[in-house]
Amino acid sequence: MTVQNIAIQGGIQQPSGAGISKANQRMLLSCFLGTTIEWYDFLIYGFLAPLVFNKLFFPEYSSFAGTIAVFGIFAVGFAARPLGGMFFGHFGDRLGRKPILIATLTLMGVSTTAIGFTPTHLQIGIAAPVILVILRFLQGFALGGESATGPLLATESAPDGKRGLFAAFVQSGAAAGTVLGALAAFAVAILPNEQLLSWGWRIPFIASAIIFAIGFYVRLKVEESPVFLAAIKDTAPEKIPLAKVFRHQKRPTLVVLLCAMAESSTFYFTSIFGLSYGVSTLHLDRGTLLAGVVIGNVVGIATNPLFGCLSDKIGRKPLVFGSYALSALYVLFIFFPLLATANHAVILIAMAIPGAILQPMSLAVTGSFYPEQFNDAKLRLSGVSVGRQFGTILGGGLMPMIATALLAFGGGALTWAVAYFVLICIVACGAVFSTRETSRGTLQ
């Protein structure tokens, strides 16, 4: 048996063809649930923002200006993600992956619950959006560490030949969190407008406290990455891992950044900007739009592992490249014409396709594709974190605000907004094309 066919699990060398150990089953369940909670907490603002936050926190602005301001605060969460990624990546490469997962979940749970108790502009004036900005920053700071650490732990704990499947299972938590967030937003969106604006919008945020308590208990059972433990057994961790990443790992970091721009843009362009455009411009039923997002991500919970498993068979590059190419074509020719039909069934399909196919095709695979770009476990989390988080803010984080501004610039025409999204996808396809195939190698 060669070194390439061995995977270290819990200090035991296990053949890559062996079944999933009980320790790995606990790890996968813990990471899945934790990821679900983190994404629910982070996204619930995005789903409610175009429905109520412009009225509650920017009542003196016009409809367009208020929406842009609300999406600007939405982008603050993304601006914090690179900082969180660098901070938690540094300590994750020095202390291990498990402490980071516990810390990020705690920070996210506290900040999300606090949003539910935040006074509105009518109650405390300009201080209201200031508090909201601070809490969104803390959410993004937490997710900056979580979104890289969870899939990385699964990737480093997997036997060779199953890394795609393991990471994709954890990434399914993002789809599950999206479903919970959209369902929560849908549940309060059907309230009469007066009740929604007075107290209904607070419920999904306050309910996060209960979800956090469950997730925290489960996450305590996560075991440390065996690959990281093996890496620091004979060599001490780097004092400043990120500094070495910038010196010696610039190319893989750039690849991750460009891919993360397209990966995040697909969701935030279709599900967040698409929701805002559908409600504000096309005057579509917000419940129908949210239902489409829910349906797509329910399917995505299943398709994520399927795409991850497929990437173990045929490779990461074909799926990642294909997801960005198909996303560009979908937005360019299909998405908005489907919404414009105003047919409820067609709108459901239009909003569901990204979550069911386009997002999982990328998200499931990049969970393993990103870590595999880096060959040193003592630098891997820092490299993945900085590339992914900067890519996410430059892509999805700014996408709703930029797309809304381009929509206004074009006098309500979608041309510039769509062109901007397609350009991001084309650049990401070039980045994927330039890389080597990583599914056949080993992390040892």
Side-chain angles (χ1 to χ4, degrees):
M1 185 176 297
T2 65
V3 173
Q4 286 75 18
N5 294 324
I6 298 293
I8 302 175
Q9 297 188 359
I12 300 173
Q13 290 186 327
Q14 183 176 0
S16 62
I20 301 176
S21 68
K22 289 185 178 181
N24 273 340
Q25 290 174 14
R26 290 194 299 269
M27 178 275 299
L28 288 172
L29 178 61
S30 298
C31 288
F32 171 82
L33 292 176
T35 301
T36 299
I37 296 163
E38 292 267 2
W39 280 99
Y40 166 85
D41 286 354
F42 189 74
L43 289 177
I44 191 63
Y45 176 93
F47 287 125
L48 289 176
L51 305 182
V52 299
F53 275 70
N54 55 340
K55 302 179 182 69
L56 294 173
F57 290 89
F58 300 97
E60 299 176 353
Y61 285 43
S62 68
S63 177
F64 251 132
T67 301
I68 292 175
V70 166
F71 280 144
I73 294 180
F74 184 70
V76 167
F78 286 86
R81 287 181 64 168
L83 299 176
M86 289 187 288
F87 177 84
F88 290 115
H90 171 83
F91 288 102
D93 280 334
R94 288 186 55 80
L95 304 177
R97 318 319 190 194
K98 179 178 178 178
I100 301 307
L101 292 176
I102 294 174
T104 55
L105 183 64
T106 301
L107 181 59
M108 179 67 83
V110 171
S111 55
T112 301
T113 304
I115 290 179
F117 291 101
T118 301
T120 64
H121 188 280
L122 181 63
Q123 296 169 311
I124 60 173
I126 192 63
V130 171
I131 293 173
L132 194 60
V133 166
I134 294 172
L135 294 175
R136 279 296 295 174
F137 181 90
L138 294 177
Q139 281 188 317
F141 195 80
L143 193 60
E146 164 67 29
S147 60
T149 308
L152 175 59
L153 176 61
T155 300
E156 290 185 337
S157 300
D160 290 338
K162 293 183 180 178
R163 292 196 300 267
L165 174 61
F166 271 45
F169 185 82
V170 174
Q171 297 286 62
S172 292
T178 303
V179 170
L180 288 180
L183 285 175
F186 179 78
V188 298
I190 63 177
L191 291 171
N193 207 52
E194 182 179 348
Q195 296 180 17
L196 172 64
L197 294 175
S198 62
W199 55 267
W201 69 272
R202 298 182 183 276
I203 295 177
F205 295 100
I206 297 174
S208 174
I210 301 173
I211 305 173
F212 159 70
I214 298 172
F216 184 81
Y217 171 77
V218 174
R219 184 148 282 189
L220 287 175
K221 299 183 179 296
V222 171
E223 296 186 5
E224 187 53 75
S225 160
V227 171
F228 176 74
L229 292 177
I232 64 172
K233 182 178 180 181
D234 299 318
T235 306
E238 298 289 338
K239 290 184 178 180
I240 307 178
L242 191 58
K244 197 163 185 177
V245 168
F246 286 143
R247 286 199 304 270
H248 303 294
Q249 302 287 330
K250 291 187 286 293
R251 187 176 184 278
T253 303
L254 179 61
V255 168
V256 172
L257 185 150
L258 295 175
C259 289
M261 286 183 65
E263 175 189 298
S264 59
S265 292
T266 298
F267 173 79
Y268 290 102
F269 188 85
T270 57
S271 297
I272 303 300
F273 172 72
L275 173 64
S276 176
Y277 179 81
V279 171
S280 301
T281 302
L282 299 180
H283 307 292
L284 301 175
D285 176 61
R286 60 193 179 192
T288 303
L289 293 164
L290 283 170
V293 175
V294 171
I295 292 171
N297 281 274
V298 166
V299 177
I301 296 173
T303 53
N304 265 281
L306 290 177
F307 280 123
C309 185
L310 184 60
S311 76
D312 286 328
K313 305 296 183 183
I314 69 172
R316 319 284 191 230
K317 290 180 61 175
L319 292 174
V320 178
F321 184 96
S323 71
Y324 303 150
L326 290 175
S327 295
L329 293 173
Y330 181 70
V331 165
L332 189 59
F333 297 112
I334 301 175
F335 181 57
F336 291 105
L338 291 181
L339 293 182
T341 65
N343 181 288
H344 286 273
V346 174
I347 293 170
L348 285 173
I349 294 172
M351 297 298 290
I353 287 175
I357 301 174
L358 301 178
Q359 294 159 213
M361 196 173 180
S362 170
L363 187 64
V365 182
T366 55
S368 53
F369 177 71
Y370 291 166
E372 288 169 348
Q373 302 303 308
F374 299 88
N375 56 15
D376 188 344
K378 299 190 297 298
L379 305 176
R380 186 172 288 132
L381 183 54
S382 293
V384 172
S385 293
V386 70
R388 182 167 193 167
Q389 305 315 331
F390 274 105
T392 299
I393 181 179
L394 294 174
L398 296 176
M399 180 57 71
M401 184 174 64
I402 290 177
T404 302
L406 290 174
L407 184 68
F409 174 77
L414 287 162
T415 305
W416 290 105
V418 170
Y420 177 68
F421 174 81
V422 171
L423 177 62
I424 288 178
C425 291
I426 291 174
V427 173
C429 284
V432 175
F433 185 78
S434 71
T435 64
R436 60 186 175 85
E437 179 56 58
T438 58
S439 61
R440 304 290 184 259
T442 178
L443 293 180
Q444 303 306 319

